[in-house]
Amino acid sequence: MSQCRKRCKRQLTKVARYFYHFLMGTLTQDSVEDDFELSTVCHRPESMDKLQEQTKFTKKELQVLYRGFKNECPCGVVNEENFKTIYSQFFPQGDSSMYAHFLFEAFDTNKNGSISFEDFVFGLSIILRGTINDRLNWAFNLYDLNKDGCITKEEMLDIMRSIYDMMGKYTYPSMQDDVPREHVESFFQKMDRNKDGVVTIEEFIESCKKDESIMQSMQLFDNVI
């Protein structure tokens, strides 16, 4: 495996962890409220008991996550522009706007233009506590930009370019313009088993499960909370 591909996999892992940490911050040192009360909110989340039933988080973990979400999103929801602004704080050396757009779309499951606390914890529960299949399905949905059930080379190229843009020229100072495309070709050579020009969810999951480095990267999320 080329060094470029190894770096890309490491960065994909870091990106997901950064999304978690930008809401968590230093909240583990804060006291936690016993309820979801807000003085002024635009959206009030469901009860913790119900969210605990629907996710794989404990009540205490949900309280900590909610405090972090409330600090960044006082109205109870975050729109795409605010999401991009928050996310950009972790990548000042590059332009994270396009990748943040893709990530926002993956979390905005009901497609109403905003991410609520419920949207956030449902997605985070899959990423951090889901089975391997759950996590791979979530990742596939992130890459399947038009949600038609398959990943095209154009979609993967858009994703790869957004990652390189986000990491910035200081991370990849000598990166050639054709490197993202080379990575996409390598991706399809390995995952497009029937060579029909698209990667299905079945091909994606099967290929990822056979890739030791991908499986190892997923294990990094097991003890994040």
Side-chain angles (χ1 to χ4, degrees):
M1 181 184 297
S2 68
Q3 289 300 313
C4 174
R5 290 177 63 196
K6 289 181 180 179
R7 286 197 301 268
C8 288
K9 287 184 178 180
R10 286 198 298 268
Q11 297 306 337
L12 284 171
T13 299
K14 289 179 181 178
V15 165
R17 296 191 72 163
Y18 282 138
F19 177 77
Y20 168 74
H21 284 297
F22 92 76
L23 285 177
M24 284 296 290
T26 58
L27 296 173
T28 52
Q29 303 301 319
D30 294 338
S31 61
V32 179
E33 295 174 349
D34 290 331
D35 54 39
F36 276 150
E37 291 302 315
L38 276 172
S39 57
T40 56
V41 294
C42 301
H43 172 81
R44 190 176 301 279
E46 299 179 18
S47 71
M48 282 183 293
D49 290 336
K50 186 172 183 179
L51 287 176
Q52 186 176 354
E53 293 175 358
Q54 296 173 329
T55 67
K56 297 182 180 182
F57 294 125
T58 66
K59 184 175 181 179
K60 183 73 170 182
E61 289 168 340
L62 287 168
Q63 288 174 325
V64 174
L65 287 170
Y66 183 65
R67 179 175 285 275
F69 192 88
K70 182 178 69 173
N71 286 345
E72 294 291 348
C73 316
C75 285
V77 296
V78 57
N79 62 28
E80 183 171 343
E81 289 308 307
N82 289 337
F83 182 84
K84 288 179 179 179
T85 299
I86 296 169
Y87 204 74
S88 67
Q89 298 172 14
F90 294 89
F91 300 94
Q93 76 279 17
D95 180 0
S96 64
S97 59
M98 187 53 68
Y99 191 86
H101 165 73
F102 296 144
L103 198 58
F104 183 89
E105 289 289 305
F107 274 88
D108 181 18
T109 54
N110 57 9
K111 304 306 175 190
N112 64 355
S114 64
I115 298 175
S116 66
F117 180 65
E118 292 92 334
D119 295 330
F120 171 63
V121 293
F122 291 157
L124 205 61
S125 178
I126 294 173
I127 296 170
L128 300 183
R129 301 286 169 81
T131 64
I132 292 298
N133 275 12
D134 290 338
R135 298 177 189 187
L136 290 175
N137 269 286
W138 195 93
F140 182 88
N141 182 65
L142 173 64
Y143 298 149
D144 179 16
L145 300 181
N146 66 357
K147 314 307 178 191
D148 66 349
C150 61
I151 301 172
T152 65
K153 288 185 178 181
E154 290 74 18
E155 287 174 323
M156 183 53 68
L157 184 59
D158 286 343
I159 290 285
M160 289 310 306
R161 284 174 172 165
S162 73
I163 292 173
Y164 288 124
D165 288 344
M166 177 173 60
M167 301 316 299
K169 62 182 180 180
Y170 298 109
T171 305
Y172 300 107
S174 59
M175 185 69 69
Q176 301 297 314
D177 291 339
D178 59 350
V179 170
R181 187 173 296 277
E182 290 175 359
H183 183 86
V184 170
E185 291 298 330
S186 177
F187 173 91
F188 269 77
Q189 184 176 2
K190 180 167 66 173
M191 296 202 174
D192 183 12
R193 298 302 180 90
N194 62 0
K195 308 303 178 186
D196 64 349
V198 298
V199 174
T200 64
I201 182 63
E202 294 79 14
E203 290 173 322
F204 182 80
I205 290 178
E206 180 182 356
S207 298
C208 287
K209 284 184 174 180
K210 292 180 179 179
D211 190 308
E212 183 178 350
S213 61
I214 292 177
M215 290 298 96
Q216 289 177 346
S217 71
M218 288 196 165
Q219 292 173 6
L220 294 176
F221 299 118
D222 291 342
N223 299 308
V224 170
I225 296 183

